[in-house]
Amino acid sequence: MLNRELINYIVLNEIKVTSWSVKYKKLDFQLILINKRVVVGKAALDSVKLKGRSFLTLKDFNAEEIKHILWVSADLKNRIKHRSEYVPLLQGKSIAMIFEKRSTRTRMSTETGFSLLGGHPCFLTPQDIHLGVNESTTDTARVLSGLADIVLARVYSHSSLEHLDKDASIPIINGLSDLYHPIQILADLLTLQEHYGSLKGLTLAWIGDGNNVLHSFMMSLAKLGVNLKVATPKGYEPDANVTQEAQLLSKQFGTKLQFLTDPMEAARDSNVLVTDTWVSMGQEEEKKRRLKDFHGYQITMQTGSVAAPDWTFLHCLPRKAEEVDDEVFYSPRSLVFAEAENRKWTIMGLMVCILTDYTPQIPKLKF
């Protein structure tokens, strides 16, 4: 069975194939050989179909689907923020928000965003819902499927999301797990698109821990033509399976992917410098050792001195001074607060894509 990424690859590389058709996730894909070029049937790639789908990892979404989510997000930002329109696209709908971990940006962006769109958010803490403890995850998934239209879950284990998705009949959004943080990357991509005007050809340098945010970058950047350089201390490299998949994506889309231990080498000629917390929730007992292991990884103006002349800085927050100094964090090169605000517009765009057939009013973004 073909998947959408394989179809994209065939089309982009004009690979010779014989005529066939195949059904994949209720979509009909038709590929026909005409004059030694592949032509894809209209039902395949002309229209992006996101309604009803879960969003657990960007691994499951192709370039056009990611671009469409960002386009919808930018459109909603324009209509609601800049034109002061009321856009009740989610009127009468509700979202169940499960939070095993505390949050500022994920909770506020989802809660305010869903309300702005006319829907009703329901916030569920570990004191309200004991996922897989007092009630099985299967039962929780089935109950919420009858009470809400969509679930956003911020969990410790990614397997909890997969379990919810397996047993729910409504879409599940990953609000953060130990393996991925895909909604953060949507905000980062929109922020960079707004700043640079396009994403293709940029080089992003990740300097820090090989964590869930990095994993989500690794599952998306190559599809958008963005190069990635990763600098982590030894022992803090990204997950081996994610790395293997990222290498395949990089080869498929013709981007550069490097894994290093020297932060300055990663920063060299890069357009975007990115870091994240070195001590995530649940790792507090490792703090002393981690701070020692990450010595020399703080992003400073010296780090930026070898970057591209137009370099910018991103951090998903909350930020600690050892990760990036004040001079960079509060400088005009820092996009962190625009990035934080875009968490709202991109989660709104994602939810609209998943729950409606909305078509943006603004022209398509340049990527």
Side-chain angles (χ1 to χ4, degrees):
M1 179 179 290
L2 292 176
N3 61 38
R4 292 176 70 86
E5 293 297 347
L6 178 57
I7 291 173
N8 284 343
Y9 183 73
I10 291 171
V11 175
L12 288 171
N13 291 275
E14 299 184 6
I15 295 174
K16 297 179 181 180
V17 296
T18 55
S19 301
W20 75 80
S21 65
V22 61
K23 285 191 174 182
Y24 176 70
K25 290 188 177 179
K26 301 181 181 179
L27 294 176
D28 291 320
F29 296 93
Q30 297 177 342
L31 288 82
I32 305 167
L33 180 63
I34 298 178
N35 296 327
K36 297 184 180 181
R37 291 190 64 184
V38 175
V39 176
V40 184
K42 185 174 182 180
L45 295 177
D46 278 3
S47 58
V48 173
K49 301 294 184 182
L50 295 169
K51 187 176 181 180
R53 290 176 61 180
S54 288
F55 189 77
L56 304 190
T57 166
L58 284 160
K59 171 185 173 182
D60 299 333
F61 291 79
N62 66 32
E64 292 309 310
E65 291 166 341
I66 297 170
K67 290 176 183 178
H68 187 81
I69 295 169
L70 296 175
W71 180 27
V72 172
S73 303
D75 179 81
L76 295 175
K77 184 176 183 178
N78 178 65
R79 293 187 65 186
I80 297 171
K81 179 180 180 179
H82 299 301
R83 294 167 54 184
S84 301
E85 293 185 28
Y86 179 49
V87 189
L89 297 171
L90 302 184
Q91 181 124 26
K93 297 187 183 298
S94 60
I95 181 170
M97 300 165 53
I98 300 172
F99 279 69
E100 291 186 333
K101 291 185 173 185
R102 63 185 181 270
S103 165
T104 300
R105 282 148 295 278
T106 301
R107 178 181 177 179
M108 283 296 295
S109 61
T110 306
E111 217 169 88
T112 60
F114 208 82
S115 296
L116 269 176
L117 293 165
H120 180 69
C122 302
F123 180 67
L124 303 170
T125 71
Q127 286 70 47
D128 302 310
I129 181 171
H130 293 259
L131 194 63
V133 180
N134 290 347
E135 184 173 41
S136 71
T137 304
T138 295
D139 290 356
T140 297
R142 292 180 178 180
V143 168
L144 292 179
S145 295
L147 299 176
D149 298 280
I150 190 169
V151 172
L152 179 139
R154 185 179 179 93
V155 298
Y156 283 99
S157 173
H158 191 76
S159 62
S160 297
L161 290 168
E162 294 174 331
H163 198 165
L164 276 173
D165 190 45
K166 175 178 176 291
D167 293 313
S169 58
I170 57 176
I172 308 296
I173 293 176
N174 179 359
L176 176 144
S177 72
D178 58 347
L179 192 58
Y180 294 113
H181 195 2
I183 58 174
Q184 176 61 51
I185 270 53
L186 293 179
D188 293 354
L189 293 174
L190 181 60
T191 304
L192 294 176
Q193 192 281 332
E194 289 174 337
H195 182 81
Y196 290 102
S198 179
L199 296 173
K200 189 174 182 180
L202 293 178
T203 296
L204 186 146
W206 176 272
I207 299 172
D209 193 13
N211 64 10
N212 50 2
V213 179
L214 173 60
H215 291 162
S216 289
F217 272 129
M218 292 167 68
M219 291 296 97
S220 57
L221 292 185
K223 298 172 187 177
L224 300 170
V226 180
N227 305 305
L228 175 62
K229 296 200 282 185
V230 178
T232 59
K234 290 182 179 180
Y236 294 91
E237 298 85 357
D239 178 85
N241 291 328
V242 176
T243 297
Q244 185 177 22
E245 292 183 32
Q247 289 170 329
L248 292 174
L249 285 172
S250 180
K251 183 177 180 181
Q252 176 182 341
F253 291 97
T255 61
K256 295 179 181 178
L257 176 63
Q258 293 178 270
F259 295 97
L260 310 159
T261 56
D262 183 354
M264 296 298 286
E265 185 58 31
R268 192 173 306 279
D269 300 323
S270 294
N271 306 99
V272 189
L273 306 183
V274 191
T275 192
D276 190 11
T277 181
W278 299 343
V279 185
S280 297
M281 281 179 276
Q283 298 175 334
E284 288 79 6
E285 293 182 0
E286 306 172 29
K287 182 175 181 178
K288 186 175 180 180
R289 175 174 60 83
R290 282 178 164 265
L291 291 180
K292 180 181 178 182
D293 292 344
F294 281 89
H295 179 72
Y297 277 74
Q298 184 191 46
I299 294 181
T300 66
M301 285 297 179
Q302 183 180 359
T303 316
S305 69
V306 299
D310 63 351
W311 71 273
T312 54
F313 173 75
L314 292 178
H315 191 303
C316 68
L317 307 178
R319 160 259 186 179
K320 304 294 189 300
E322 62 264 18
E323 300 148 6
V324 53
D325 68 7
D326 284 356
E327 188 178 8
V328 171
F329 188 74
Y330 293 109
S331 76
R333 294 185 180 274
S334 176
L335 304 178
V336 294
F337 296 109
E339 173 190 15
E341 181 191 335
N342 278 335
R343 285 293 306 276
K344 179 169 74 172
W345 303 114
T346 49
I347 193 64
M348 290 168 67
L350 175 63
M351 295 185 297
V352 165
C353 287
I354 290 175
L355 292 174
T356 77
D357 292 313
Y358 178 71
T359 300
Q361 296 184 1
I362 63 171
K364 285 188 177 180
L365 303 181
K366 180 182 178 182
F367 291 100

